[in-house]
Amino acid sequence: MTNKEIWQIAMEQSANDLNCNASDFLEIENCIVISKANDLSRKYLELPFICNLVSYGTNIVASVQEEYQEIVAEYIGKYDCAHCFETPNMHILDEKLQKYQARICFMAEYFLPDIDLLEKKKCPYPTKVLEHRDFGDLYTDSWSNALCKKRKELDVLGVGAYDKGQLIGLAACSADCDSMWQIGIDVLPQYRRQGIASALTSTLAMEIIKRDRVPFYCAAWSNIKSVRNAIKCGFRPAWVELTAKPQKTVDEMNGV
């Protein structure tokens, strides 16, 4: 699998998610499409989107419900591509969405492996490749980044690190779509800063590639330790997303 193939697979998946063409992400001009449900989209997405902005660095592809098309077109047409994903410009879109009882909810950066940089890193503790059947009693707070209790059926593969038989670190992936598996990582606090996270993440990424899937990694831009782990393992920034949700959903997440 080459870097070019990895990026093409990612853009094709984003096209399934947004209801557009993969080539739309390479255009100079921004693109707006109407969001629709798609059986090939990432399984955790709630479609249709109110508004979801995606950029692979060249332009913005906006997938929206029809009633938001005009305000989103005005927004992405007014500001520079990168600035549409950050404050203060983002407040403009958020204020207009509030009139429809919607708010900006998620901002995330996604990473893809660079095949020329990805390599299995050494772990100071014994490791073991795990499969779905091994995750049964691991759905606890300690492993909530690696595993997802709400979508247990998607957790398909992992790599654990052990100290005297005790699990101390876990990288696991969810089969979010047919071609791409998303990596999450947890290390117990007392075992951090020993290179365990990068060892488990890189090993899992290579195991995913062996299975002819593309590993990908997501982090909030402010999650410095997570971004550092991605970079250390040979992942590089690939695309960014900004997603709006109903006001009620945002309030619930904030405990309002």
Side-chain angles (χ1 to χ4, degrees), residues 128-139 143 147 152 155-160 162 167 170 172:
K128 178 183 177 182
V129 175
L130 306 173
E131 297 184 358
H132 176 77
R133 63 178 178 270
D134 301 312
F135 298 144
D137 59 352
L138 298 180
Y139 288 93
W143 316 116
L147 300 171
K152 292 181 179 180
D155 294 329
V156 293
L157 189 67
V159 180
Y162 297 84
L167 183 66
L170 175 65

Side-chain angles (χ1 to χ4, degrees), residues 1-7 9 111-120 129 156-159 173 178-183 200-217 233-235:
M1 191 179 295
T2 66
N3 286 330
K4 184 177 180 179
E5 289 170 337
I6 287 173
W7 277 68
I9 289 169
F111 299 77
L112 292 172
D114 184 328
I115 292 299
D116 297 326
L117 300 174
L118 184 66
E119 63 179 2
K120 183 177 180 180
V129 175
V156 293
L157 189 67
V159 180
C173 62
D178 290 341
S179 59
M180 302 178 69
W181 292 357
Q182 182 172 190
I183 294 176
L200 296 180
T201 301
S202 61
T203 301
L204 179 57
M206 297 187 74
E207 291 290 335
I208 294 171
I209 291 174
K210 286 180 184 178
R211 290 160 176 78
D212 294 323
R213 301 296 193 276
V214 172
F216 73 106
Y217 190 108
C233 293
F235 284 78

Side-chain angles (χ1 to χ4, degrees), residues 17-18 41 58 63-64 68 87 99 146 148 178 181 196 199 237 256:
D17 298 339
L18 271 62
S41 68
T58 302
S63 185
V64 302
Y68 304 99
T87 57
K99 297 177 182 178
C148 181
D178 290 341
W181 292 357
I196 298 172
V256 177

Side-chain angles (χ1 to χ4, degrees), residues 51-75:
C51 169
N52 194 56
L53 307 184
V54 173
S55 178
Y56 277 78
T58 302
N59 69 344
I60 296 174
V61 177
S63 185
V64 302
Q65 292 182 28
E66 196 165 353
E67 57 265 41
Y68 304 99
Q69 190 171 4
E70 184 176 344
I71 64 173
V72 174
E74 179 183 1
Y75 176 69

Side-chain angles (χ1 to χ4, degrees), residues 85-140:
F85 293 85
E86 63 182 10
T87 57
N89 298 156
M90 193 179 65
H91 291 306
I92 299 296
L93 179 59
D94 190 60
E95 289 173 0
K96 293 189 176 182
L97 288 172
Q98 287 183 59
K99 297 177 182 178
Y100 296 86
Q101 296 299 304
R103 300 292 302 268
I104 300 298
C105 186
F106 298 123
M107 294 184 292
E109 185 172 19
Y110 291 82
F111 299 77
L112 292 172
D114 184 328
I115 292 299
D116 297 326
L117 300 174
L118 184 66
E119 63 179 2
K120 183 177 180 180
K121 295 188 176 297
K122 292 183 180 180
C123 184
Y125 296 89
T127 64
K128 178 183 177 182
V129 175
L130 306 173
E131 297 184 358
H132 176 77
R133 63 178 178 270
D134 301 312
F135 298 144
D137 59 352
L138 298 180
Y139 288 93
T140 65

